Amino acid sequence: MVPDFIKKTIDILAKRAAYKCSNPDCRVNTIGPNSDPEKATTIGEAAHIFGAREGSKRYDLSMTDSFRAEITNAIWLCRNCHKLIDTDEQKYSTNILFAWRAKHEEFIASDLGSITDKILHDEQTLNLKSFDNYPPIVKRIIIDKPNGWEYRLTAELMKFLNTPLFRKLKDLKNGLYIKELNNVDSVNALNWIQNRLSELSVTLKPAIGLLDLLTKSWGKPGEPGDVQEIHHATKLIKNYLEHIIVIEEKIHFVNVPEEYEKLVYLLKNLIGSQVEKLSSIPYDLEEILTLLENTENENDLPKEIRKELVFEVPNNWEKEFNNALNKLRHK
C-alpha cells in the first residue's frame, strides 16, 4: 500500500478544517472562486504529520504505510504552510502539528460551529482528559477512529506505557544496573528460594487473563472496541510488568551461600524472559493491520486472525532445578 492520502480522506480532512489552514497563525481560507464557473480554486493541501516516505520530514521508520495514509496522520494546510513545516523539522515537530490540528478543530467547533457542535466538542474534550499526558497521536486515533483503530490505539498505548519497562527488564538481564544486595544466610536460604519459586509459580497466570481482557476490549467481530477498556487493559499490563521487575530484582540482587547459587542462577530471568514476549504486541498488531489492509478488497478476507504468545520454561529447566535442589537436601 502506498502512503498517499486517498481522495476521500483529503475531502473529509478539508471539511473538518472548514477549508481553512490549520496553522493557528495563518488560518487563511484555502478555497475560493475560479474563473471557470464550474470550478473552484484551492490552495489547501493534506500534509503528512509523520513523513510519507523515507527521507521526508518527520519520517518514522516503525510506522506502516497504511497508517501514514490515514486521516490520523494528516493535517490540512495552505500551500505556504505546508512548505513551511517541511523547512524546519525541529520547530515543526509531530507534536506541534498534532497540537495545531487539535486547536484548529476546537476553533472550528467553538467559533464557526453551532452551539451543538460546541457542546459535542466539549464533551469529547472531557472524555479525552485522561489522555492528556499521552503522546498526541493517542488522542488523534481516538478522535478519528481510522480503520482498525482499536489495534492502533493498543499499539500506541503499549509503546508509551510499557516500552520503558521492557527496556528495564532487558537492562536488568544484561546487568546494566545494580541495587543493594540482600544477604541471606544458610539457615534461611532454602526457605528464601522456595518463597521466590512460589511467587514465580503464580505470576504467569495473570498474563493470560490480561491478554484475554485486552482482546475483549477490541470488541466482537464487526463491533467497535471500547476506548476505556483498551486503556484499562494496557495500564494493567503496565502494573503487571512493574510487579515482574520487582520479583526479578529480588532474585538478581541477593547474596546467598555458594551452595545455593546454582538455584538462584536458574531462577534469574525465568519469568522476565517470558513476559518480554508481550513487547511484541504492538508490532504484531501492525502486522495484522497490514494483512487486513492488503486483503480488504479480496473475497477471501480472513474472518479471524490468530496470534499466539506461548509462555514456557526453557528445556530441561525443571530437571536442572530439581537436581540442584536434591543435592542440597541430601547434604
Side-chain angles (χ1 to χ4, degrees):
M1 181 175 181
V2 295
D4 301 317
F5 301 122
I6 61 174
K7 185 179 184 303
K8 179 181 177 182
T9 299
I10 295 172
D11 289 344
I12 293 173
L13 183 70
K15 290 175 182 177
R16 287 181 67 96
Y19 293 98
K20 291 180 176 292
C21 178
S22 298
N23 180 349
D25 296 318
C26 178
R27 286 185 179 154
V28 66
N29 286 322
T30 62
I31 194 167
N34 187 281
S35 57
D36 185 335
E38 296 184 0
K39 294 181 179 180
T41 297
T42 178
I43 59 169
E45 297 175 346
H48 286 80
I49 295 177
F50 287 96
R53 291 172 174 80
E54 192 169 359
S56 58
K57 301 296 182 180
R58 302 172 302 280
Y59 181 79
D60 183 349
L61 182 62
S62 68
M63 187 175 286
T64 62
D65 279 349
S66 59
F67 198 16
R68 294 185 184 102
E70 290 283 3
I71 195 170
T72 299
N73 190 41
I75 182 170
W76 186 256
L77 297 171
C78 68
R79 289 173 186 167
N80 289 338
C81 288
H82 190 176
K83 183 177 180 180
L84 176 69
I85 66 170
D86 287 342
T87 60
D88 190 340
E89 185 176 1
Q90 298 303 315
K91 182 176 181 179
Y92 302 107
S93 64
T94 57
N95 284 356
I96 289 293
L97 299 184
F98 277 120
W100 277 10
R101 186 174 166 191
K103 285 289 185 183
H104 187 67
E105 291 188 355
E106 180 181 354
F107 163 72
I108 297 302
S110 60
D111 288 23
L112 301 181
S114 64
I115 294 176
T116 300
D117 290 333
K118 178 68 165 61
I119 293 171
L120 289 173
H121 184 270
D122 289 346
E123 182 181 350
Q124 182 185 72
T125 301
L126 183 63
N127 291 336
L128 291 173
K129 193 71 178 174
S130 57
F131 298 96
D132 279 352
N133 295 323
Y134 287 72
I137 195 172
V138 170
K139 282 188 177 182
R140 200 68 257 170
I141 292 170
I142 296 170
I143 294 170
D144 295 336
K145 289 187 170 60
N147 290 335
W149 67 266
E150 297 91 344
Y151 304 143
R152 298 195 191 282
L153 178 61
T154 301
E156 292 301 326
L157 288 175
M158 286 285 290
K159 288 177 186 177
F160 177 72
L161 291 171
N162 300 319
T163 296
L165 296 174
F166 287 121
R167 179 64 181 269
K168 189 171 185 179
L169 265 176
K170 185 177 180 180
D171 289 344
L172 178 61
K173 182 179 179 180
N174 293 330
L176 298 181
Y177 72 92
I178 60 173
K179 298 186 75 172
E180 184 177 353
L181 289 178
N182 175 27
N183 292 302
V184 180
D185 58 30
S186 57
V187 175
N188 297 300
L190 186 57
N191 187 53
W192 183 92
I193 288 171
Q194 289 173 332
N195 287 339
R196 299 293 77 74
L197 190 60
S198 296
E199 277 185 325
L200 293 173
S201 66
V202 299
T203 302
L204 272 181
K205 291 180 182 178
I208 308 302
L210 288 171
L211 288 175
D212 184 55
L213 181 67
L214 184 61
T215 54
K216 286 180 179 177
S217 72
W218 299 332
K220 296 178 181 179
E223 297 180 3
D226 187 307
V227 170
Q228 296 304 328
E229 285 301 306
I230 293 172
H231 189 205
H232 177 62
T234 52
K235 286 196 299 182
L236 284 179
I237 291 174
K238 176 179 181 289
N239 295 339
Y240 176 69
L241 289 173
E242 289 172 337
H243 180 66
I244 295 300
I245 290 172
V246 170
I247 292 175
E248 282 286 359
E249 286 181 340
K250 287 181 185 178
I251 298 170
H252 277 73
F253 302 117
V254 67
N255 182 35
V256 295
E258 184 178 354
E259 61 267 30
Y260 293 92
E261 288 179 353
K262 174 69 172 179
L263 289 171
V264 173
Y265 170 78
L266 289 170
L267 291 177
K268 284 182 180 180
N269 306 311
L270 181 64
I271 190 69
S273 62
Q274 298 304 306
V275 300
E276 274 184 321
K277 296 174 183 178
L278 297 174
S279 65
S280 70
I281 289 177
Y283 311 101
D284 293 338
L285 292 176
E286 287 169 1
E287 285 183 14
I288 290 172
L289 282 165
T290 300
L291 177 61
L292 288 172
E293 285 149 1
N294 289 339
T295 59
E296 63 183 357
N297 295 321
E298 298 178 9
N299 293 328
D300 60 343
L301 178 67
K303 302 297 182 183
E304 185 176 282
I305 297 175
R306 289 186 176 272
K307 185 73 178 183
E308 293 185 349
L309 288 175
V310 180
F311 299 108
E312 56 188 0
V313 297
N315 290 335
N316 298 320
W317 181 90
E318 189 174 354
K319 182 179 179 180
E320 282 190 63
F321 188 86
N322 286 332
N323 286 342
L325 192 59
N326 288 332
K327 285 181 181 179
L328 279 172
R329 287 172 172 168
H330 287 91
K331 277 190 175 183

